[in-house]
Amino acid sequence: MICFMFPGQPLSHDATLPEDADFTEIALLTRARTGLDLESFAWTGGPGTEQVKLQVYGVAMSLYETRCLRRRGILPDVVAEHSMGIYPALSACGALPEGEALELTFRAGCCMATMGRTQSYALGCMVGLTMEPLLTIAEETGTFLANVNTSRHFLLCGERHRMEQAVAAALQNGAFSARTFPCDAPLHTPLMEQIEGELQEIFSAYSYQEPAVPLISHIDQEYLTAADLPGFMLRELTQPVYWEKTYLALRRAGATSLYEAGIGDSLKKYNRWIESERGR
């Protein structure tokens, strides 16, 4: 069974871009539907933050990588997504056209960015601790669990000053590494409920088709239907991403060939870590 995996937002962009017909089409579509010129990495139309640039760029490159895989004759039997990877996954499974997936990314990203106008947020990447001490740190610092990538790789999210406290506490408690990354909004935490009305209006504005390829939820590992999608799009922003559970569910379902369609190889690395623990 072949699985296409879609990673979340990249941390940076690569100035060296592909040069072929598929990328040209994706770049033109990105510019038309979001106002982001991929070549100059600049907005041509309405305002957007640097984080929204990275979100749109990540989705555009995932759509391009999906085309490349299909051109090689590699077709998915199941589609999995991590965080912002839900947007290109919607296209890969047939729920939305590429252009609408890009537009939805931009609209949702700009909506989320409004939270950063009044508060400074950050993600904290914690490696080495197990879940129990990490949850204690989150509770003590007023931050929230955002990603469970492996049994020892987590993301917390929350207000920047609280996240700095959480990073310091993680290092004091024996984390291999702990560092922060800026973000416009506290993704995958209950704090996103502050703008749930605006987000739900955006997500409900699209006509989702029934997935032609099964699309697995990174929350409860159930397969999503067209009717599920508007609600799931909001729910996944307010609840953590459970990648370890998702990967194990894919393996139980028979997935043997997993292709990461996007920037980098973070999901492949998580998968290798999970497999190493399974083999112990």
Side-chain angles (χ1 to χ4, degrees):
M1 179 187 290
I2 295 174
C3 174
F4 282 9
M5 309 179 295
F6 292 92
Q9 176 187 326
L11 297 177
S12 62
H13 83 286
D14 189 342
T16 304
L17 298 173
E19 296 182 4
D20 59 34
D22 279 321
F23 181 75
T24 298
E25 287 184 13
I26 291 294
L28 289 172
L29 197 57
T30 301
R31 184 183 177 107
R33 300 303 287 261
T34 73
L36 178 64
D37 180 75
L38 292 175
E39 184 173 355
S40 64
F41 205 60
W43 297 111
T44 63
T49 68
E50 290 300 309
Q51 295 299 310
V52 178
K53 278 185 187 178
L54 289 170
Q55 290 162 7
V56 171
Y57 165 70
V59 171
M61 296 309 296
S62 284
L63 294 175
Y64 169 71
E65 292 295 335
T66 301
R67 286 194 179 199
C68 291
L69 288 167
R70 292 182 183 277
R71 192 168 62 237
R72 291 164 51 194
I74 302 171
L75 304 176
D77 299 301
V78 63
V79 172
E81 39 74 33
H82 183 289
S83 187
M84 294 294 291
I86 181 59
Y87 298 91
L90 291 175
S91 175
C93 76
L96 284 181
E98 291 173 327
E100 291 188 9
L102 284 162
E103 180 184 280
L104 180 55
T105 304
F106 174 71
R107 292 182 63 193
C110 288
C111 180
M112 292 186 286
T114 61
M115 296 186 71
R117 296 175 186 169
T118 56
Q119 183 59 265
S120 180
Y121 298 101
L123 286 165
C125 180
M126 317 295 187
V127 183
L129 297 179
T130 56
M131 177 77 82
E132 186 175 351
L134 189 86
L135 290 178
T136 298
I137 290 170
E139 182 177 2
E140 290 176 348
T141 58
T143 57
F144 299 89
L145 181 67
N147 288 188
V148 180
N149 295 322
T150 76
S151 65
R152 290 179 180 269
H153 190 293
F154 304 91
L155 292 186
L156 300 183
C157 196
E159 297 173 8
R160 177 179 289 276
H161 72 282
R162 295 180 182 275
M163 190 54 57
E164 290 169 351
Q165 295 170 8
V167 163
L171 292 171
Q172 290 170 3
N173 280 270
F176 301 152
S177 68
R179 52 182 178 157
T180 62
F181 300 94
C183 58
D184 285 338
L187 302 183
H188 311 302
T189 77
L191 296 175
M192 294 299 298
E193 294 172 0
Q194 297 174 43
I195 57 168
E196 64 180 353
E198 296 93 324
L199 286 168
Q200 192 62 72
E201 185 176 348
I202 293 170
F203 296 139
S204 299
Y206 293 82
S207 296
Y208 302 93
Q209 301 302 306
E210 204 62 47
V213 179
L215 173 63
I216 192 170
S217 159
H218 65 230
I219 299 174
D220 52 22
Q221 293 70 58
E222 298 292 332
Y223 291 99
L224 298 164
T225 67
D228 295 330
L229 290 173
F232 175 77
M233 298 299 291
L234 178 61
R235 192 161 66 103
E236 73 96 16
L237 288 173
T238 62
Q239 297 185 35
V241 175
Y242 293 100
W243 179 255
E244 183 178 36
K245 289 181 180 179
T246 302
Y247 172 75
L248 293 174
L250 289 166
R251 294 288 282 163
R252 287 194 298 271
T256 53
S257 300
L258 294 90
Y259 294 86
E260 187 162 357
I263 303 297
D265 59 356
S266 59
L267 299 182
K268 292 178 184 176
K269 290 178 179 177
Y270 300 154
N271 295 351
R272 287 196 293 269
W273 182 285
I274 297 165
E275 285 294 339
S276 72
E277 292 198 320
R278 291 177 75 197
R280 290 177 184 173

